[in-house]
Amino acid sequence: MIRSPPQKYNPKKVEEKILDFWVKNDIFKKSIEQRKTNDSYVFLEGPPTANGMPHPGHVLTRVMKDLILRYQAMNGYYILRKAGWDTHGLPVEIEVEKKLGLKDKHDIEKYGLKKFNDECKKSVFKYENAWVEMTKRIGFWLDMDNPYITLKNDYIESVWWSLKQAWEKKLLYRGHKVVPYCPRCGTALSAHEVAQGYKNVEEPSIFIKFKLKDEDAYFLAWTTTPWTLISNVALAVHPNATYIKILYHGQTLILAEERAAVLLKGQEYEMLDGFSGKDLEKTEYEPLFDYAKPDKKAWYVILADFVTMEDGTGIVHIAPAFGEDDYNVGVKYGLPVVQLVNLDGTFKDEVTLWKGQFVKDADPSIIKHLEKEGFLEGTKEHTHEYPFCWRCDSPLLYYAMESWFIAMSKVQKNLVDNNDQINWYPRHIQQGRFGDFIRDVKDWALSRNRYWGTPLPIWICTDKKCKHQICVGSVDELKELSDEFPDDYDLHKPFVDELTVRCPKCNSKMKREKEVIDCWYDSGSAFFAQWHYPFENKKQFEENFPIDFISEALDQTRGWFYSLLAISTFLFERPPYKNVLTLGLVLDKDNVKMSKSKRNYVDPTIILDHEGADALRWYLLSANAPWNSTRFYEEAVRETLGKFILTLWNSYNFFTTYASLDKFDPRQDMIPINDRQLLDKWILSRFNRTVSEVRKYFETFEIHKAARVIESFLIEDFSNWYLRRSRKRLWVEEKTDDKLAGYSTMYDVFLGLSKLLAPFVPFITDEIYQNLRTGDMPESIHLCDYLQPDERHIDENLEEGMRRVRALVEVGRALRSKVGIKVRYPLSSAVIVCKKDVEVLIKDLLDLLNEEINVKHISFERDTGKFMTKTVKPNHSQLGPKYKAKVKGIVTAIEELDEHGLYEDLTTKGEVALSVVGEEIKLTIKDFKIVETEKEHIASTQTEDMILLLDTTLTPELEAEGFAREIVRRIQSMRKELDLDVEQQISTSVGISKEKQQMLKDWEDYIKGETRSQAITYEDKPTGKLVKTWDIDEVKATIGVGT
RNA sequence: GGGCCAGUAGCUUAGGUUGGUUGGAGCACCCGGCUGAUAACCGGGAGGUCAAGAGUUCAAAUCUCUUCUGGCCCA
């Protein structure tokens, strides 16, 4: 039996009830288990780090993943939804350092690695509860009881296995490379980590003069990093550029001609000489500082192609220790690597003036010093992007460091091929942002000089002669090599470093390379490591590879999306996933990216409490294309609640109120669709079309479009038209077939709509479903199948006819408002002038039009002749050019003619002859404008190819009927004010003039019926529970309502 | 400096592939109507140099180029 739910919708209460229902009845588990024998749809959860609170961006990814998975599940696919946690890496260490008050790596070692890593392990799950709660609360169905966790021994063992594969393919090497380095974290960062942290900064850039050794002249160079000048060893020029020597403010300077033209524009200088870059090679100059004691020849001009003429002076200062280009060109020329900076980013002791200072902080003081020494030519504020550490926000330094690498450049071709096989949404990322990155792939700097991470499984023999290197690929292998290996072990530091490992060649002790690995490698291994492959679950791995669908935010493009592809490419030589949906960022109300530091993000739990998960989900899913950024703020979600969720609830409430009153039973009372009204057939046609569009949009992940077609179906078609037009049908006392047809249709639509919406808004849909379902249906909507459109119920002509009728209603109402006759007053007739085929489309739907614009009778005509008068007026723009000065005379002549006769003559004879100042002029219809005017008591309007005419005559009878409706409306509003039940009977007394009483006489039954009045009495002073006096168009009426 | 995405009413946005009547909606505002759906509904009004400029074309919000602004990514 259909119940009538509470009128007010309380999102939090309903959603918590449904959550409880799911848990108590194991619905999530059942939704997976019941599809166990079906084809599977493989999903991989990108593991979040649980050591920070979830924010709106995380909510968006989780909502989107859930939507797709629910959709595919309802389509019958078997989907595992294993949760995952990313647990290693710097962010965790930083948290712990803060907590323990440790300032740097030295502090950590002093504190003890075992204790430190134990703290890290604890810290990782600090916010796990908040994450689990959020995930559940928003309705993201994820198996959080059996997650994969990157810190587990099994997981690490799988990662080691994969590294050994790389080792055996000779892809792992220890290299020397200039890498972005975080002085605070004390570790190098990989390219995709650097990519996380570019910021625009405004910094001083300076022009410096380097004095030539054998001449009283200066090279003018430019830099944005003054602190690197101390380690300067060379100046680079472009071999093919032209350089000039000039006299400027009494000094001789050398710089690129092209740059001089820009920098010294409008200033006076004297050209002394010119040469090409090549001519300058090997020219020696004097160092700015004497701190460096290079072991090789330094301080001369070298040639380099990377010198640009876009900024600076065309002369670039070279410090091989601090730049990739610098390092490479240094190798070529055999330049010394002068390294005067400690690993913590401070100057070494030999730099007496600034020793111990952080290099970037020393910039202003260095600039001052250069100025004092006369080497500074000028400064300029320069805005550019500079990389910062993605976690601790320190500015990165470029450093020549030793590190372990994976030679991704060797498999670049495979990466490109594999990328080509992936479906990217949106498409442009494939060859754009991601493709660019892959085509120019750099070797992956894998090792990290840190503590909390998967240890690099490489051991090197300590014997000076042997130096044998091994990469360990399993726990058994390590056991084999170790003197002692306990049963209770933990594959982290310091355990792995405390093992005594023997060299298989010489039996000497081996020492592990002390680094841990990039945590992006951990998460990128998830597709096999989650199964402890290849040590266990081989079958499961094979069934779940490749992955059908992954989805994360745009910032993962070169993060997780890349690390998955990279690892899968060198391990299995194939792409790891087939479809990847890249999500836009979540921005605040002012279009600014949400970040902790700006504190501009909304706490999702507040919105979940106020507006609920469904409204939150619907907003995120419908606001924008998934890959576009979406603004997020509470008012927006509140609007969604009002517009969509509550419209759904109110219309559902409307249906159930009446259906329960009539004890509508879907098992017995359903009327076959063929026996229902056109209106019913129409909404079912619209519904099935909506279903088919929704499915179409899912194919291409155009989720916003899917959501919008549903929204417009619900609001425009179903709520604002179908239900509005069906109200009267439900208002009859008896259980008529038509009323049952209405209930049947509403039942069909609500049941169908709930299924259609279930993946989007899983709570309210299950709430509705629970009320509508009959015993033979699954116990939750999430155990149902998704809908297929039923083509038999799609009726093109019916939809087109209805569209036209609605268009007529629109202009009809506008017309009434224009002529000033309220809709409440009926008019006797309307005429539609249109073609035969249009008439066929709409003739069966005219009852709707009748009621909406309140006319007694509607008929069709092919032309407007009976109602409109056609006259003609001279068309000046035609006549003007032809007759010039005579026009005035022509117009006067026309005015003297009978205007009706004129039109007749023009249409029958084709022309009229006028005599103007003795001259005969013949005019055709083209020389006139045709003007149509309505005859008396006719109003006209037009839409598309249909003209609607109204007879505006108000007879006394019509006026009486309208007045009766005025009275009804007042009584109804009083009923409402009294908060009466729908069925409650009342007694009504009316105080009104005798004349109006007479008017109402014929309509008493109507008034009684509409207002459920047992009797209507006329009294001078009406009585009742509520008595009100109304002004009805200057008529005073006092009405009393009693129960 | 390069790449990608975007810029439409006060706000949120549709349309853009396939150029073609007067650029649609919603929120907010004003006027009117309707209502036994009270976080409603219907009609009307006001609000747009479709970021700017140029080009192609009979015709450009739509295609092309340039510029500006914002976002993201890279160097």
Side-chain angles (χ1 to χ4, degrees):
Chain A
M1 189 63 70
I2 293 170
R3 291 165 289 112
S4 175
Q7 201 159 5
K8 261 240 174 322
Y9 184 66
N10 181 333
K12 196 179 180 207
K13 222 165 124 188
V14 171
E15 289 173 4
E16 278 171 356
K17 188 181 94 187
I18 295 292
L19 281 172
D20 194 47
F21 165 76
W22 289 344
V23 171
K24 283 212 174 95
N25 297 283
D26 243 347
I27 305 295
F28 173 37
K29 207 177 217 166
K30 284 176 187 162
S31 80
I32 297 174
E33 292 298 314
Q34 74 171 16
R35 288 147 182 152
K36 201 163 191 166
T37 52
N38 299 2
D39 288 345
S40 57
Y41 186 78
V42 183
F43 165 70
L44 181 63
E45 158 79 344
T49 318
N51 80 327
M53 286 295 277
H55 69 75
H58 298 120
V59 174
L60 169 66
T61 34
R62 281 170 128 56
V63 165
M64 191 62 74
K65 289 173 186 175
D66 188 60
L67 170 79
I68 302 300
L69 299 185
R70 283 181 189 271
Y71 172 73
Q72 295 297 1
M74 289 179 84
N75 276 314
Y77 289 104
Y78 172 56
I79 307 176
L80 289 177
R81 308 188 190 192
K82 207 176 170 62
W85 298 112
D86 194 8
T87 54
H88 283 150
L90 266 179
V92 184
E93 292 193 31
I94 288 166
E95 277 277 316
V96 172
E97 280 179 60
K98 265 189 219 153
K99 187 184 149 199
L100 300 176
L102 307 174
K103 280 191 291 295
D104 49 30
K105 289 165 81 175
H106 187 68
D107 280 359
I108 295 173
E109 309 223 347
K110 226 165 63 191
Y111 180 77
L113 285 192
K114 174 91 176 73
K115 271 160 69 191
F116 181 76
N117 272 357
D118 283 347
E119 283 295 329
C120 287
K121 198 179 213 167
K122 261 194 270 170
S123 146
V124 164
F125 294 105
K126 189 170 162 198
Y127 298 98
E128 189 195 7
N129 202 41
W131 273 85
V132 169
E133 280 311 306
M134 178 275 274
T135 304
K136 285 183 178 164
R137 183 63 187 82
I138 63 171
F140 181 25
W141 273 357
L142 193 67
D143 181 3
M144 291 184 287
D145 298 331
N146 304 292
Y148 68 86
I149 304 173
T150 59
L151 60 75
K152 295 275 183 186
N153 282 334
D154 283 353
Y155 196 97
I156 293 173
E157 189 179 25
S158 288
V159 170
W160 279 7
W161 166 80
S162 72
L163 286 170
K164 180 150 192 179
Q165 305 306 302
W167 176 268
E168 281 169 359
K169 289 176 183 174
K170 306 240 179 298
L171 295 173
L172 272 186
Y173 69 93
R174 188 162 183 94
H176 209 97
K177 218 176 167 184
V178 174
V179 285
Y181 177 86
C182 174
R184 204 220 65 88
C185 301
T187 185
L189 274 73
S190 66
H192 40 282
E193 282 174 313
V194 178
Q196 314 273 316
Y198 275 88
K199 276 194 226 170
N200 256 320
V201 288
E202 197 178 314
E203 286 183 314
S205 68
I206 57 172
F207 293 91
I208 329 102
K209 294 180 290 186
F210 289 87
K211 190 186 168 299
L212 272 68
K213 203 169 173 187
D214 305 317
E215 198 183 332
D216 187 20
Y218 295 90
F219 288 118
L220 191 64
W222 178 77
T223 184
T224 56
T225 50
W227 60 271
T228 59
L229 288 170
I230 291 165
S231 305
N232 168 277
V233 294
L235 293 173
V237 296
H238 196 282
N240 302 326
T242 307
Y243 289 81
I244 51 172
K245 187 188 280 181
I246 59 170
L247 190 63
Y248 175 69
H249 288 323
Q251 49 192 348
T252 310
L253 299 178
I254 298 170
L255 75 165
E257 183 178 34
E258 209 181 321
R259 294 306 302 164
V262 177
L263 295 171
L264 301 176
K265 202 174 170 187
Q267 301 194 50
E268 275 181 32
Y269 57 89
E270 190 185 333
M271 183 89 92
L272 300 176
D273 202 356
F275 17 72
S276 84
K278 272 191 207 125
D279 301 334
L280 290 170
E281 196 180 11
K282 305 274 157 131
T283 313
E284 292 184 39
Y285 63 90
E286 290 174 2
L288 297 175
F289 301 95
D290 54 6
Y291 301 127
K293 304 277 180 275
D295 49 355
K296 296 175 188 163
K297 186 175 157 62
W299 301 310
Y300 57 89
V301 174
I302 60 172
L303 305 179
D305 289 330
F306 60 76
V307 176
T308 74
M309 295 298 144
E310 267 136 19
D311 43 28
T313 62
I315 299 178
V316 175
H317 120 77
I318 299 290
F322 304 110
E324 196 176 343
D325 287 336
D326 301 37
Y327 181 84
N328 293 337
V329 77
V331 169
K332 197 172 139 198
Y333 275 90
L335 289 170
V337 177
V338 172
Q339 177 53 287
L340 293 171
V341 178
N342 292 311
L343 281 179
D344 63 1
T346 60
F347 280 111
K348 288 187 175 165
D349 289 351
E350 6 348 356
V351 186
T352 43
L353 267 177
W354 297 287
K355 70 175 178 185
Q357 273 198 53
F358 183 62
V359 292
K360 286 222 149 217
D361 296 338
D363 275 350
S365 158
I366 293 170
I367 295 172
K368 241 185 215 145
H369 175 83
L370 289 170
E371 189 173 14
K372 209 176 75 201
E373 299 290 311
F375 295 126
L376 189 73
E377 185 51 39
T379 61
K380 191 175 90 183
E381 283 301 308
H382 178 70
T383 307
H384 63 136
E385 288 205 300
Y386 195 85
F388 289 79
C389 179
W390 63 298
R391 277 298 169 177
C392 77
D393 224 29
S394 307
L396 300 180
L397 306 179
Y398 284 85
Y399 245 65
M401 297 265 301
E402 270 193 87
S403 174
W404 281 89
F405 290 85
I406 304 179
M408 292 314 298
S409 52
K410 284 192 189 165
V411 294
Q412 186 261 1
K413 244 186 131 48
N414 291 347
L415 281 174
V416 170
D417 288 348
N418 287 341
N419 181 39
D420 287 346
Q421 295 169 44
I422 296 167
N423 296 316
W424 282 86
Y425 300 92
R427 275 203 77 84
H428 62 81
I429 292 189
Q430 178 168 37
Q431 298 309 333
R433 182 175 293 195
F434 196 70
D436 290 343
F437 186 62
I438 298 283
R439 274 188 290 278
D440 192 28
V441 74
K442 302 261 170 17
D443 286 353
W444 186 344
L446 181 71
S447 57
R448 295 286 181 278
N449 262 315
R450 297 295 309 191
Y451 311 101
W452 178 237
T454 299
L456 191 68
I458 294 171
W459 272 262
I460 298 174
C461 183
T462 50
D463 185 276
K464 290 257 158 60
K465 273 175 248 156
C466 180
K467 281 190 175 170
H468 182 52
Q469 303 190 350
I470 48 172
C471 178
V472 171
S474 70
V475 173
D476 281 347
E477 202 181 328
L478 187 58
K479 251 182 213 171
E480 201 64 21
L481 294 164
S482 307
D483 283 358
E484 266 175 69
F485 199 92
D487 289 337
D488 180 26
Y489 61 89
D490 174 11
L491 296 182
H492 282 102
K493 279 159 96 78
F495 171 82
V496 287
D497 293 322
E498 286 164 357
L499 288 171
T500 309
V501 177
R502 295 279 166 198
C503 177
K505 269 195 174 162
C506 71
N507 207 38
S508 306
K509 273 196 190 170
M510 298 191 92
K511 201 166 184 280
R512 196 185 67 85
E513 287 289 274
K514 60 182 192 307
E515 291 107 324
V516 294
I517 67 166
D518 181 3
C519 62
W520 289 102
Y521 191 97
D522 284 353
S523 54
S525 301
F527 66 99
F528 60 91
Q530 66 172 336
W531 304 115
H532 192 209
Y533 179 86
F535 307 98
E536 279 183 88
N537 302 319
K538 276 200 160 158
K539 192 164 161 272
Q540 249 163 325
F541 166 72
E542 276 152 23
E543 284 168 359
N544 286 285
F545 181 79
I547 298 146
D548 284 298
F549 169 70
I550 58 172
S551 177
E552 303 293 336
L554 189 69
D555 53 6
Q556 293 295 328
T557 308
R558 298 183 185 192
W560 194 55
F561 295 162
Y562 170 72
S563 63
L564 283 172
L565 177 69
I567 294 168
S568 177
T569 296
F570 74 71
L571 276 186
F572 302 108
E573 284 171 18
R574 55 186 294 191
Y577 44 85
K578 294 181 192 164
N579 299 290
V580 51
L581 175 59
T582 310
L583 305 180
L585 298 170
V586 174
L587 309 175
D588 73 1
K589 199 174 176 7
D590 303 317
N591 242 335
V592 178
K593 186 177 171 171
M594 292 194 180
S595 70
K596 275 187 190 169
S597 55
K598 288 199 192 100
R599 296 187 183 179
N600 59 342
Y601 64 100
V602 190
D603 180 358
T605 55
I606 292 171
I607 291 176
L608 289 167
D609 281 351
H610 294 173
E611 282 82 23
D614 282 334
L616 174 62
R617 290 173 64 117
W618 190 256
Y619 171 71
L620 289 173
L621 295 170
S622 65
N624 234 328
W627 38 84
N628 282 348
S629 46
T630 300
R631 290 184 209 182
F632 185 77
Y633 47 99
E634 187 168 6
E635 299 93 282
V637 181
R638 196 178 305 141
E639 206 175 284
T640 299
L641 175 70
K643 186 174 66 175
F644 184 70
I645 304 288
L646 291 184
T647 302
L648 178 63
W649 185 260
N650 287 340
S651 45
Y652 162 69
N653 188 60
F654 170 76
F655 162 58
T656 50
T657 302
Y658 286 96
S660 68
L661 214 62
D662 281 320
K663 304 195 171 21
F664 172 74
D665 183 348
R667 282 164 306 186
Q668 294 164 17
D669 298 334
M670 292 293 277
I671 303 287
I673 291 176
N674 279 338
D675 299 337
R676 300 184 199 169
Q677 272 202 28
L678 278 176
L679 184 64
D680 298 317
K681 291 178 180 166
W682 169 77
I683 195 68
L684 291 171
S685 176
R686 289 293 308 132
F687 179 70
N688 279 289
R689 192 182 294 279
T690 305
V691 171
S692 113
E693 286 180 6
V694 167
R695 297 198 76 105
K696 183 185 86 194
Y697 288 132
F698 261 111
E699 293 293 307
T700 47
F701 292 100
E702 290 173 282
I703 304 307
H704 58 308
K705 292 189 180 175
R708 284 168 187 172
V709 295
I710 302 176
E711 189 167 297
S712 108
F713 168 79
L714 172 72
I715 295 173
E716 298 303 324
D717 295 334
F718 188 62
S719 175
N720 290 351
W721 188 246
Y722 176 80
L723 287 184
R724 180 149 66 93
R725 287 316 327 149
S726 289
R727 279 194 333 234
K728 283 243 155 55
R729 302 164 71 186
L730 310 189
W731 189 229
V732 295
E733 300 283 340
E734 320 79 54
K735 243 178 158 179
T736 59
D737 276 0
D738 180 51
K739 185 159 145 184
L740 290 179
Y743 286 145
S744 302
T745 304
M746 291 174 204
Y747 182 82
D748 286 342
V749 169
F750 278 112
L751 196 61
L753 193 56
S754 301
K755 289 179 187 171
L756 195 62
L757 279 171
F760 296 86
V761 283
F763 298 96
I764 192 172
T765 49
D766 216 3
E767 167 70 15
I768 291 173
Y769 176 80
Q770 292 308 325
N771 192 15
L772 301 184
R773 80 184 183 93
T774 54
D776 52 342
M777 296 182 194
E779 65 178 312
S780 162
I781 196 155
H782 304 293
L783 303 177
C784 296
D785 289 337
Y786 209 65
L787 294 175
Q788 293 285 352
D790 191 336
E791 302 290 340
R792 289 169 311 173
H793 296 143
I794 297 183
D795 183 339
E796 203 99 28
N797 288 337
L798 178 55
E799 288 190 31
E800 171 63 9
M802 190 65 85
R803 199 186 58 71
R804 283 170 173 278
V805 167
R806 292 177 74 176
L808 286 169
V809 167
E810 199 177 307
V811 295
R813 282 173 166 266
L815 183 60
R816 266 186 163 261
S817 146
K818 199 174 118 196
V819 298
I821 303 172
K822 288 180 180 177
V823 182
R824 216 177 273 135
Y825 287 82
L827 293 174
S828 60
S829 68
V831 176
I832 298 164
V833 179
C834 65
K835 293 200 189 112
K836 180 78 190 166
D837 53 339
V838 175
E839 179 181 338
V840 170
L841 282 174
I842 62 178
K843 69 176 191 322
D844 296 328
L845 299 168
L846 290 184
D847 287 349
L848 301 166
L849 183 57
N850 263 336
E851 287 186 30
E852 284 285 319
I853 61 172
N854 200 12
V855 295
K856 296 284 176 197
H857 182 257
I858 298 177
S859 57
F860 286 96
E861 290 285 345
R862 289 288 167 265
D863 71 70
T864 54
K866 278 193 215 161
F867 315 97
M868 308 288 277
T869 313
K870 281 186 182 155
T871 54
V872 289
K873 288 210 160 72
N875 185 347
H876 291 264
S877 61
Q878 276 289 326
L879 297 169
K882 250 194 279 180
Y883 300 104
K884 310 260 156 85
K886 291 175 203 153
V887 170
K888 229 176 182 175
I890 295 173
V891 172
T892 322
I894 292 170
E895 274 167 3
E896 281 161 13
L897 298 171
D898 166 45
E899 51 178 10
H900 297 283
L902 184 55
Y903 177 74
E904 284 288 303
D905 286 352
L906 282 166
T907 42
T908 50
K909 296 179 201 151
E911 61 176 35
V912 288
L914 295 173
S915 164
V916 179
V917 213
E919 188 186 345
E920 182 170 276
I921 289 172
K922 283 182 180 172
L923 297 177
T924 67
I925 191 112
K926 280 187 185 158
D927 297 314
F928 294 89
K929 280 184 189 158
I930 299 170
V931 180
E932 284 193 87
T933 43
E934 293 110 344
K935 293 184 179 168
E936 217 178 337
H937 294 299
I938 296 291
S940 82
T941 182
Q942 187 167 3
T943 177
E944 299 168 45
D945 50 359
M946 304 175 290
I947 295 166
L948 178 68
L949 303 159
L950 290 180
D951 180 349
T952 57
T953 320
L954 260 184
T955 62
E957 291 78 26
L958 294 172
E959 211 156 339
E961 185 177 345
F963 191 72
R965 283 182 69 166
E966 297 274 19
I967 296 294
V968 166
R969 144 121 167 78
R970 264 84 184 172
I971 298 170
Q972 300 291 38
S973 100
M974 289 171 73
R975 284 188 64 115
K976 221 175 189 179
E977 195 172 325
L978 286 167
D979 200 23
L980 300 181
D981 265 355
V982 176
E983 322 98 291
Q984 175 78 53
Q985 298 281 339
I986 55 168
S987 60
T988 306
S989 59
V990 182
I992 201 168
S993 70
K994 280 268 160 354
E995 185 195 347
K996 293 287 172 190
Q997 282 181 30
Q998 202 57 39
M999 254 179 129
L1000 292 175
K1001 269 260 151 62
D1002 289 342
W1003 295 95
E1004 259 173 30
D1005 287 344
Y1006 163 77
I1007 297 171
K1008 282 185 197 167
E1010 290 288 311
T1011 61
R1012 301 214 168 192
S1013 299
Q1014 282 164 316
I1016 295 179
T1017 54
Y1018 297 98
E1019 288 157 40
D1020 287 345
K1021 286 211 158 55
T1023 52
K1025 263 193 176 164
L1026 182 64
V1027 180
K1028 274 194 149 179
T1029 302
W1030 303 85
D1031 281 318
I1032 308 170
D1033 293 332
E1034 285 144 45
V1035 175
K1036 269 208 181 350
T1038 307
I1039 299 173
V1041 171
T1043 50

